[in-house]
Amino acid sequence: MQADFLFGEQFKYQSLQLALEGAKKLNNDWLLSAGLEWSESKLPDGFVKSNYNLYGDLEWLENVTVFDLPQQRTVLDKTRFIRSAYLQTQTELTDTLNLTMGLRFDGYNDIASKLNPRLALVYQPAEHHVLKGIYGEAYRVPSLGDLYDEESGLTQGNTSLRPSTIKSYELIYNYTGSDFFISTTLFHNDIADLIGFDSGDTVALANIAKSNASGIELEWRWNVTDSVRLRGHSTHLFENESEIKAQASLVPSEQLSPDNYMMTLLDWQIASQWQAQLQWSYRDNIAITDDHNTLSLLNASMVFLPAAGHRWQLKVSNLLDKTYQVPVIQQIGSSNGIAINELPSRGLAVSIKYSWHF
């Protein structure tokens, strides 16, 4: 007898978190904030289920069955404890200059602990103008699945994983007027020990890459009239470089990301019950795609609010029905020995949505 093959995972996640936070104003110029946090998390239930015997001869079982014997766990029954503490101080150095300094410590029972600093200087020379300088560090620890995945059918965990880390630098200028706002940000990010798939003898998770990127971002809003607003943002990359382990199948970020990207939105309050939006986005070429073309897309939507709680929305995506390819980070196949790292996009799409809130 033939039957559809059904396969899935049955996970149960439990967590408990306790936190204590407080703040104290030491004098008119100093504010001290501190906090403590303790948490526990675990996966008491981590198994697969199927209507075929996955641990036998793949015979049909009629019903979907959970394979929950101890030796059939897909993620080991491990418990994670996290002890965290932070301390932050804010002070007015002068009438126009503010300083914020902070430290955060996170201690784990199953992964390396880390102390992360943060520093921010805010300078306001005039009413509408603000300058900011920010430095910060952060990290992402591997999840319980990343570390202790045994045989989920997707990949294999790695108890030797190191946390992914990032160091970020930002220089920001903001102008805020009555009807206009603009923000310009110069940034640089250093990322190390990125976690991904290692395509060695077994498909396992590993620290496979590091990267650095720098560029400039622009964000703006303009209230043209009481009913019309323009807003948008753009990014230009000066540098985008990555270093990836030879056996990893990850595509370098510089091949996936355009050097220039921008989006502009026009919001129009036609009447009290009618709203419209037109969205335009642009990017220059992406190295991994076959056409290497720039791309300009238009989307539109219309919202009708006939009564309180009722909402109709008409949405049109890819208004001009452009044909283009979407890059993907992992190789999805090959053709004539050439790796395929792109998918065809959707063409023009129209949707109507009704929602009722009560």
Side-chain angles (χ1 to χ4, degrees):
M1 179 179 178
Q2 293 184 347
D4 291 336
F5 177 76
L6 303 176
F7 171 84
E9 298 178 350
Q10 178 167 298
F11 287 151
K12 183 185 292 183
Y13 177 79
Q14 293 180 353
S15 65
L16 174 65
Q17 186 178 47
L18 299 172
L20 178 65
E21 298 180 337
K24 174 68 174 178
K25 198 162 188 178
L26 301 180
N27 54 46
N28 292 334
D29 298 329
W30 286 87
L31 176 64
L32 185 66
S33 305
L36 298 171
E37 186 177 298
W38 177 90
S39 65
E40 173 190 305
S41 57
K42 56 185 176 181
L43 283 170
D45 191 357
F47 301 97
V48 295
K49 52 186 177 181
S50 178
N51 59 338
Y52 283 81
N53 187 356
L54 302 177
Y55 294 90
D57 297 326
L58 286 180
E59 65 270 20
W60 182 53
L61 300 177
E62 297 190 14
N63 298 315
V64 174
T65 302
V66 179
F67 298 91
D68 56 2
L69 295 177
Q71 65 270 26
Q72 295 172 339
R73 289 192 65 95
T74 60
V75 180
L76 297 181
D77 186 11
K78 298 287 186 178
T79 301
R80 167 171 287 173
F81 299 99
I82 310 173
R83 302 167 305 280
S84 303
Y86 76 87
L87 182 67
Q88 179 174 287
T89 180
Q90 295 173 268
T91 181
E92 294 184 6
L93 299 178
T94 69
D95 292 339
T96 59
L97 185 63
N98 293 337
L99 171 66
T100 299
M101 296 183 296
L103 287 172
R104 180 182 176 91
F105 172 79
D106 293 288
Y108 291 75
N109 65 314
D110 58 354
I111 203 72
S113 302
K114 185 133 185 347
L115 183 67
N116 290 311
R118 185 176 185 272
L119 176 67
L121 274 171
V122 179
Y123 176 55
Q124 186 170 6
E127 179 183 1
H128 302 294
H129 305 270
V130 176
L131 283 168
K132 300 178 183 179
I134 302 174
Y135 170 78
E137 295 182 17
Y139 79 145
R140 173 199 174 271
V141 300
S143 68
L144 291 172
D146 292 341
L147 294 173
Y148 307 118
D149 193 330
E150 284 285 280
E151 192 179 350
S152 68
L154 300 174
T155 185
Q156 181 177 337
N158 180 359
T159 56
S160 299
L161 287 175
R162 298 181 300 276
S164 301
T165 61
I166 181 172
K167 296 180 180 180
S168 63
Y169 309 80
E170 293 180 297
L171 182 61
I172 304 168
Y173 166 71
N174 290 344
Y175 171 81
T176 305
S178 57
D179 294 316
F180 186 73
F181 167 83
I182 188 168
S183 176
T184 304
T185 302
L186 288 168
F187 67 88
H188 178 79
N189 296 323
D190 286 319
I191 303 175
D193 289 323
L194 280 168
I195 297 172
F197 296 108
D198 190 338
S199 303
D201 296 332
T202 60
V203 178
L205 289 168
N207 296 104
I208 62 171
K210 61 180 181 180
S211 69
N212 61 79
S214 58
I216 184 170
E217 294 179 339
L218 180 68
E219 179 186 357
W220 57 278
R221 297 189 298 270
W222 179 26
N223 297 325
V224 183
T225 68
D226 291 339
S227 59
V228 177
R229 182 174 70 158
L230 281 169
R231 54 194 172 100
H233 60 86
S234 63
T235 301
H236 171 69
L237 294 177
F238 304 130
E239 178 187 32
N240 184 17
E241 296 180 354
S242 56
E243 184 178 321
I244 301 174
K245 290 176 63 175
Q247 65 268 36
S249 60
L250 187 70
V251 179
S253 61
E254 56 267 31
Q255 296 184 28
L256 288 165
S257 303
D259 289 334
N260 296 285
Y261 173 83
M262 65 180 63
M263 178 182 289
T264 298
L265 297 99
L266 171 65
D267 298 310
W268 182 18
Q269 186 74 43
I270 304 172
S272 60
Q273 296 177 311
W274 291 91
Q275 303 167 3
Q277 183 183 90
L278 185 65
Q279 179 193 87
W280 171 73
S281 62
Y282 166 85
R283 65 157 173 82
D284 57 7
N285 65 81
I286 294 177
I288 201 68
T289 57
D290 290 334
D291 54 21
H292 302 296
N293 291 332
T294 60
L295 177 65
S296 179
L297 289 177
L298 278 176
N299 302 316
S301 67
M302 180 76 74
V303 173
F304 174 51
L305 307 170
H310 299 268
R311 187 177 191 270
W312 288 90
Q313 181 184 41
L314 170 66
K315 185 176 181 180
V316 183
S317 301
N318 196 354
L319 192 63
L320 302 181
D321 199 17
K322 290 286 188 72
T323 299
Y324 63 98
Q325 302 291 316
V326 178
V328 293
I329 63 173
Q330 299 287 149
Q331 180 179 333
I332 60 174
S334 61
S335 177
N336 299 322
I338 300 175
I340 299 175
N341 288 95
E342 56 186 350
L343 290 168
S345 69
R346 297 183 63 179
L348 185 146
V350 180
S351 65
I352 298 176
K353 178 182 177 181
Y354 168 74
S355 58
W356 178 30
H357 299 277
F358 56 92

